[in-house]
Amino acid sequence: MKMKKILFVITMLPAWAWGQTLDECQQAAERNYPQIRQYGLIERTTQLTVANIRKGWLPQVSAQAQATYQSDVTAWPGEMKAMMNGMGIDLKGLTKDQYRVGVDVQQTIYDGGVISSQQRIVREQGKVQKAQTEVSIYQVRKRVNEMYFGLLMLEEQMLLNKDLQQLLASNERKLESMAQQGTAAQSDLLSVRAERLKAKQKSTELASQRRMLQRMLSAFCGIEVKDVKKPEKIAILSQHTGQRPELKALDAQIGVLNAQEKALNTALMPKVGVFAQGFYGYPGLNMFEDMMRRKWSLNGIIGARVTWNIGALYTRKNDKAKLQLQRDMTETSREVFLFNNNLEQMQQHETIERYRRLMDSDSEIIALRQAVRKAAESKLSHGIIDVSDLLREINQENAACIERSVHEIEMLKEIYDNQYTTNN
């Protein structure tokens, strides 16, 4: 058992040491997102609905009981009744109160494809629900991108802030030594110390923001995100839209409309079935016997039935036109999505190129600012400039470093947002 624990720790050590990648966070967030359970619910609901429709092939049994009182009933002709009375035979006739308890059984032999078309429609509707769920889950990636790159940005700023504090602390020690020797004023030392403490305050603020965003990302992904890794640059494809879930959802809607159109054909087909009816009551099928005896009896009927309802012809043309209109609306939605998606890609490509052009000069600007800052430090030691000039150069160098980090992180974020846009 101890050996298993050691192996587990060794296995998990790289992940703890190096942090979670963007892809790992996205996969964890999709698994953790509550709507992921919708897939199983949709599948189970579809199966149950299809199973219920399939039961249409089973015999349909119905039981009934009725009691009626009629204003008039079938009766013997008066001449026949008089003749039979003369012979000593009493023809009672039917009573006006009648009773029946029975069972009807119907079995479909041929339904013209109605049941199979209903099953097809339900399955296609299940695909639509799954595709719509996939759209919602796919949007999780964009939210992970926002938090992940926001966390990266804060970590970069914290590193640069740490460098700034070290640089200020170094100059503070130099000024402290100069102040002791009488070559620098005490106020200069205090100015640098105040700037260092200000940078330390900024570090505390950045750490607080990082913890908050870290907890949010951890809760969203369902895992403890301790550190994040800067993702690698990936190739940017020319304007192209992969198989986005939104397009799959539109394809699924077209599938439902196609299934519904096929169902229109089944409505025109004849239906063949057999039936059986049995009842116990009065009067029965032997009317003359019941007119004489007024006695309850068992009765039954079996037969076959062919029905052909051509009423669907009246609305067929309009029904097909409605389905075509719905197809046109779906295709219009597809065109709108592709149009907006292409515009978004154009904007992303231009933004990426802008950051690349800015980054081309970032390193040179930092090198120049660093040289100016070092020169300012030398001038200060010789009493040529005052501390405020040095602090200005230090802050400008730090601002140039922050700008380079911002450009890099923002460009990476735009690249991965483009990957989300194209689903490539």
Side-chain angles (χ1 to χ4, degrees):
M1 181 62 70
K2 290 184 178 180
M3 182 60 68
K4 288 183 178 180
K5 289 183 178 179
I6 293 172
L7 289 174
F8 174 76
V9 170
I10 294 175
T11 304
M12 295 301 295
L13 188 58
W16 291 337
W18 299 104
Q20 282 77 27
T21 65
L22 176 60
D23 187 57
E24 289 170 348
C25 287
Q26 287 180 342
Q27 292 179 10
E30 289 181 1
R31 291 193 300 268
N32 185 58
Y33 198 57
Q35 203 166 7
I36 194 70
R37 295 190 292 272
Q38 196 81 3
Y39 281 120
L41 297 175
I42 292 171
E43 181 66 26
R44 184 59 179 155
T45 301
T46 301
Q47 290 176 354
L48 291 174
T49 305
V50 169
N52 285 342
I53 293 174
R54 193 180 295 118
K55 285 178 170 55
W57 289 111
L58 297 177
Q60 305 300 307
V61 182
S62 62
Q64 59 180 354
Q66 69 177 36
T68 61
Y69 184 84
Q70 302 178 193
S71 61
D72 205 355
V73 293
T74 304
W76 296 102
E79 294 81 359
M80 180 177 289
K81 188 173 183 179
M83 181 181 67
M84 296 303 288
N85 286 336
M87 298 172 61
I89 300 174
D90 183 17
L91 298 178
K92 298 180 180 179
L94 297 177
T95 62
K96 292 184 178 181
D97 54 317
Q98 300 185 0
Y99 309 91
R100 174 177 295 193
V101 179
V103 176
D104 290 350
V105 180
Q106 300 187 36
Q107 173 64 57
T108 300
I109 303 298
Y110 174 72
D111 71 340
V114 171
I115 291 177
S116 61
S117 66
Q118 289 176 345
Q119 291 176 337
R120 190 182 305 112
I121 291 173
V122 168
R123 291 192 182 99
E124 294 297 329
Q125 288 173 340
K127 291 179 182 178
V128 170
Q129 292 177 327
K130 283 185 177 180
Q132 291 172 343
T133 302
E134 189 176 347
V135 170
S136 299
I137 294 176
Y138 186 75
Q139 292 171 352
V140 168
R141 299 186 186 183
K142 189 71 176 290
R143 297 171 67 180
V144 171
N145 280 3
E146 295 290 338
M147 290 185 282
Y148 192 92
F149 285 102
L151 199 53
L152 271 178
M153 185 73 74
L154 287 171
E155 290 186 349
E156 287 290 321
Q157 290 182 19
M158 288 177 68
L159 289 174
L160 293 173
N161 181 272
K162 184 178 180 181
D163 293 340
L164 176 61
Q165 289 187 60
Q166 290 175 351
L167 183 58
L168 289 169
S170 175
N171 280 279
E172 184 181 348
R173 286 192 296 270
K174 291 178 184 178
L175 283 169
E176 187 174 7
S177 176
M178 292 171 64
Q180 290 174 356
Q181 296 173 6
T183 58
Q186 186 70 20
S187 60
D188 292 339
L189 172 62
L190 297 178
S191 295
V192 174
R193 184 172 296 168
E195 197 68 23
R196 179 178 60 81
L197 292 174
K198 183 179 176 182
K200 189 176 181 180
Q201 282 184 332
K202 182 65 176 178
S203 175
T204 302
E205 182 182 344
L206 290 172
S208 176
Q209 293 176 3
R210 182 184 180 276
R211 284 193 299 272
M212 178 190 68
L213 196 54
Q214 194 175 33
R215 288 197 296 268
M216 288 176 60
L217 184 59
S218 298
F220 198 77
C221 296
I223 58 175
E224 186 178 0
V225 180
K226 293 186 176 180
D227 294 296
V228 291
K229 293 195 287 187
K230 186 183 296 184
E232 297 179 357
K233 295 179 183 177
I234 55 178
I236 302 299
L237 301 177
S238 58
Q239 277 188 252
H240 169 72
T241 301
Q243 189 67 346
R244 282 282 296 264
E246 292 87 346
L247 297 177
K248 292 181 181 179
L250 293 172
D251 290 338
Q253 291 176 16
I254 294 292
V256 173
L257 295 174
N258 292 338
Q260 289 175 340
E261 186 172 25
K262 290 181 180 179
L264 294 178
N265 298 329
T266 63
L268 297 175
M269 301 299 292
K271 313 295 186 294
V272 180
V274 295
F275 65 92
Q277 297 177 350
F279 68 91
Y280 179 69
Y282 172 85
L285 297 178
N286 190 339
M287 188 71 68
F288 292 106
E289 182 73 19
D290 292 332
M291 291 173 70
M292 297 182 64
R293 297 187 178 181
R294 295 183 177 178
K295 185 178 180 182
W296 286 41
S297 61
L298 287 171
N299 303 269
I301 302 174
I302 60 172
R305 181 184 294 117
V306 177
T307 58
W308 195 346
N309 185 2
I310 62 172
L313 282 172
Y314 306 149
T315 60
R316 179 179 174 80
K317 183 178 179 181
N318 289 342
D319 289 339
K320 294 192 72 172
K322 284 169 57 180
L323 291 175
Q324 186 57 48
L325 287 173
Q326 292 178 27
R327 281 197 194 91
D328 294 341
M329 291 170 62
T330 303
E331 291 301 330
T332 300
S333 298
R334 186 195 305 275
E335 292 175 8
V336 169
F337 175 81
L338 292 173
F339 180 81
N340 291 332
N341 189 273
N342 287 332
L343 287 180
E344 188 175 2
Q345 289 184 57
M346 289 172 59
Q347 182 180 1
Q348 289 170 343
H349 288 174
E350 180 57 36
T351 303
I352 291 168
E353 285 303 315
R354 174 164 57 86
Y355 283 128
R356 279 178 176 167
R357 290 193 295 269
L358 291 172
M359 289 178 65
D360 288 341
S361 55
D362 277 336
S363 297
E364 185 178 358
I365 292 173
I366 291 174
L368 293 173
R369 288 294 180 191
Q370 190 176 30
V372 172
R373 185 261 304 168
K374 288 180 178 178
E377 288 176 338
S378 177
K379 289 178 181 179
L380 179 67
S381 63
H382 290 86
I384 301 175
I385 63 172
D386 58 17
V387 169
S388 60
D389 294 328
L390 174 62
L391 291 176
R392 183 179 65 250
E393 298 303 334
I394 290 175
N395 288 329
Q396 286 183 348
E397 180 188 353
N398 180 254
C401 292
I402 291 175
E403 257 191 21
R404 180 178 63 179
S405 294
V406 168
H407 292 160
E408 183 183 8
I409 299 298
E410 287 291 343
M411 187 184 73
L412 281 173
K413 179 180 179 300
E414 206 68 32
I415 289 173
Y416 280 88
D417 281 348
N418 180 258
Q419 185 186 47
Y420 168 86
T421 303
T422 58
N423 193 24
N424 289 319

